[in-house]
Amino acid sequence: RKEVEQDPGPFNVPEGATVAFNCTYSNSASQSFFWYRQDCRKEPKLLMSVYSSGNEDGRFTAQLNRASQYISLLIRDSKLSDSATYLCVVNRKDTGNQFYFGTGTSLTVIP
Amino acid sequence: EADIYQTPRYLVIGTGKKITLECSQTMGHDKMYWYQQDPGMELHLIHYSYGVNSTEKGDLSSESTVSRIRTEHFPLTLESARPSHTSQYLCASSDRGTGRPQHFGDGTRLSIL
């Protein structure tokens, strides 16, 4: 079983839509969680860390459910510039703080 | 913006050549990583280091080698490049401590003819 699993999509949504991505992780020793954004042929860039209480950054909201080992990212009022691949990333202390990446979810925002 | 730099950005070179991909960071991060990523595919960890003189192989078998003589520098070397090494190579670093994210360089796009 993969450490981190994401729905690969693609998600094609109209501008202004709200879209949610989900991610599950397999190991309960996972302790830190992140969402990254990766544009085509570019490097991953940190979008936001995910905290246990949930956190928001503008149009982006991240949630963590440790009991279900589930992470989500909600994007409100989608913009064309949100089109990218969104990577769910988990960090495990028991493996020396290794980072584990999901395969990514592709989002295209359509005019 | 994270201060992590990779050179070259692009490299097209013939089979059999020795190649060194450079990665430097100015943030004083202890941990550094090399990933390999093909277009549209997931990242694969090939090497990592938790500090000077510490290097480990990642999940993906790679014919490359790395060194960590200085905290800020983590070069990756291919002794004899082959077409199968054609890929994008991404370097990342992270600070010690819980909850610290990785920061990535711009990547090196390598093509072996």
Side-chain angles (χ1 to χ4, degrees):
Chain A
R1 185 183 171 188
K2 286 192 173 184
E3 286 280 342
V4 180
E5 300 211 49
Q6 292 182 252
D7 180 349
F11 284 64
N12 299 315
V13 302
E15 261 187 298
T18 296
V19 60
F21 302 140
N22 301 321
C23 167
T24 57
Y25 59 95
S26 62
N27 198 296
S28 58
S30 302
Q31 60 174 39
S32 302
F33 309 90
F34 310 92
W35 282 101
Y36 280 73
R37 171 198 169 120
Q38 187 173 26
D39 292 291
C40 188
R41 296 179 172 269
K42 299 282 193 179
E43 78 278 15
K45 292 189 176 179
L46 179 67
L47 181 65
M48 58 198 303
S49 301
V50 186
Y51 303 119
S52 296
S53 55
N55 48 299
E56 189 173 305
D57 183 1
R59 297 181 293 109
F60 300 85
T61 301
Q63 297 277 356
L64 168 64
N65 184 323
R66 285 189 185 270
S68 302
Q69 295 181 191
Y70 169 94
I71 306 156
S72 65
L73 176 68
L74 184 76
I75 305 175
R76 290 182 300 279
D77 189 23
S78 301
K79 311 290 184 192
L80 297 177
S81 57
D82 293 334
S83 298
T85 297
Y86 290 83
L87 301 170
C88 176
V89 182
V90 166
N91 178 253
R92 280 174 55 184
K93 189 176 181 180
D94 65 323
T95 56
N97 280 314
Q98 285 279 27
F99 290 83
Y100 298 88
F101 286 75
T103 52
T105 299
S106 174
L107 171 67
T108 300
V109 181
I110 304 163
Chain B
E1 288 294 322
D3 295 319
I4 179 165
Y5 309 100
Q6 290 186 241
T7 57
R9 287 292 307 277
Y10 303 94
L11 179 62
V12 181
I13 200 166
T15 298
K17 302 290 186 184
K18 180 178 179 179
I19 300 166
T20 297
L21 307 185
E22 302 288 350
C23 177
S24 295
Q25 49 94 8
T26 58
M27 298 171 282
H29 286 172
D30 289 328
K31 300 174 186 176
M32 297 188 75
Y33 312 80
W34 276 103
Y35 292 88
Q36 186 174 340
Q37 186 180 33
D38 293 320
M41 305 298 284
E42 61 193 290
L43 282 90
H44 291 285
L45 180 67
I46 50 175
H47 295 283
Y48 60 98
S49 166
Y50 286 164
V52 171
N53 294 325
S54 149
T55 62
E56 300 287 345
K57 288 187 180 292
D59 306 320
L60 182 68
S61 174
S62 173
E63 293 160 348
S64 57
T65 58
V66 292
S67 63
R68 189 88 184 275
I69 298 170
R70 303 196 318 265
T71 298
E72 61 272 21
H73 194 213
F74 190 41
L76 180 144
T77 298
L78 282 162
E79 289 294 332
S80 179
R82 296 208 302 271
S84 60
H85 296 140
T86 295
S87 189
Q88 175 163 248
Y89 292 82
L90 289 158
C91 181
S93 71
S94 67
D95 204 355
R96 69 176 68 185
T98 304
R100 303 300 179 97
Q102 284 184 321
H103 299 280
F104 285 83
D106 291 340
T108 293
R109 195 167 296 280
L110 178 64
S111 293
I112 310 299
L113 305 177

